[in-house]
Amino acid sequence: DQQVKQNSPSLSVQEGRISILNCDYTNSMFDYFLWYKKYPAEGPTFLISISSIKDKNEDGRFTVFLNKSAKHLSLHIVPSQPGDSAVYFCAASAKGNTPLVFGKGTRLSVIA
Amino acid sequence: GAGVSQSPSNKVTEKGKDVELRCDPISGHTALYWYRQRLGQGLEFLIYFQGNSAPDKSGLPSDRFSAERTGESVSTLTIQRTQQEDSAVYLCASSSHGTQLGNTIYFGEGSWLTVV
C-alpha cells in the first residue's frame, strides 16, 4: 500500500512556464513533507520542505503548497529552466523517529 | 567527509553470490538510512540507524538482507545469495538528528548493483 503517491510519472513544460508537480498521501500521521530532486547517476538532493503547521513554503523559484484536508501537496517551479529537468520525489514522515516515505517520482522535462 | 560516501559505485555480481555495500555518513550525523531504487520504482526504505537505539529493520525485504553500523560511523549493507530482483541502486543517507521535524536527510550517490 503506497502511502505517498505521485500519480504523474512524467511532465513536460516549456522553459519559462510554471511546472506543477503533485503528490498525495494517505497517512494522516505524516507531519513533515519534503521534495527531493534527482539527476541521473546521482543521489537525490533536498529541495524544499514544509511542516504540517504551514500551508505554503517558498524558496526562490520553488514553492510547496500543502492541503492537509485533501492530503495533497504540490511543488511549483516558476519560471522553469532546462536545468530543472530531473526526477522529483515527494517524501513524508510522521512524528516519532520514523523514516521518510518516498513516492515513485515524477520526471520533469523542461524544454527550451 | 563533506558528503555521504558510498562504495562501490558499481557492482556486477553473479546470482547466488554475497555482496557488501559500504556507506560513510557525513561526520557527526547520528542517523543513517539505507534505501534502494529498482528500475522504474520509487525509493524503498530498507533500514534506519539512530544513535545507540535498536535499528528499524522494517523495510528489509528478506532475511538475505542485513546491515550493521559501527557506532555513529560506517555502515555495511550485506545481501546474501543475491537474486536478479536485487538489482537496484542502493542509496545511503544520513542526518544530524534522525527524522525529527525540520531535519533533512542527505543522500550519497548510490551503489549500483547488477545481479546477472
Side-chain angles (χ1 to χ4, degrees), chain A residues 31-32 34 36 38 40-46 49 51-53 87 89 93-105, chain B residues 33 35 37 40-45 48 50 53 56 58 89 91 97-110 112:
Chain A
D31 62 356
Y32 183 53
L34 308 90
Y36 280 79
K38 186 179 185 300
E42 293 184 11
T45 55
F46 170 73
S49 64
S51 77
S52 59
I53 61 173
V87 177
F89 289 98
S93 71
K95 288 189 180 73
N97 260 358
T98 58
L100 288 180
V101 179
F102 285 84
K104 288 191 174 183
Chain B
Y33 313 75
Y35 285 82
Q37 185 182 17
Q41 301 296 313
L43 298 175
E44 179 186 1
F45 165 72
Y48 161 50
Q50 169 58 42
S53 302
D56 177 351
S58 60
V89 58
L91 291 156
H97 298 297
T99 56
Q100 296 169 11
L101 191 65
N103 200 28
T104 300
I105 69 173
Y106 299 90
F107 283 89
E109 294 194 346
W112 294 76

Side-chain angles (χ1 to χ4, degrees), chain B residues 21-94:
Chain B
L21 307 175
R22 177 189 168 104
C23 174
D24 282 280
I26 293 172
S27 179
H29 279 191
T30 60
L32 186 148
Y33 313 75
W34 284 97
Y35 285 82
R36 76 174 175 182
Q37 185 182 17
R38 291 187 283 185
L39 191 64
Q41 301 296 313
L43 298 175
E44 179 186 1
F45 165 72
L46 298 177
I47 187 168
Y48 161 50
F49 297 90
Q50 169 58 42
N52 294 322
S53 302
D56 177 351
K57 302 180 182 180
S58 60
L60 294 178
S62 78
D63 59 7
R64 296 186 296 105
F65 288 73
S66 62
E68 292 184 350
R69 187 179 187 193
T70 309
E72 292 185 352
S73 61
V74 171
S75 175
T76 302
L77 177 70
T78 301
I79 309 172
Q80 295 178 309
R81 305 181 303 281
T82 51
Q83 304 293 314
Q84 287 183 330
E85 64 261 27
D86 300 334
S87 297
V89 58
Y90 288 82
L91 291 156
C92 179
S94 70

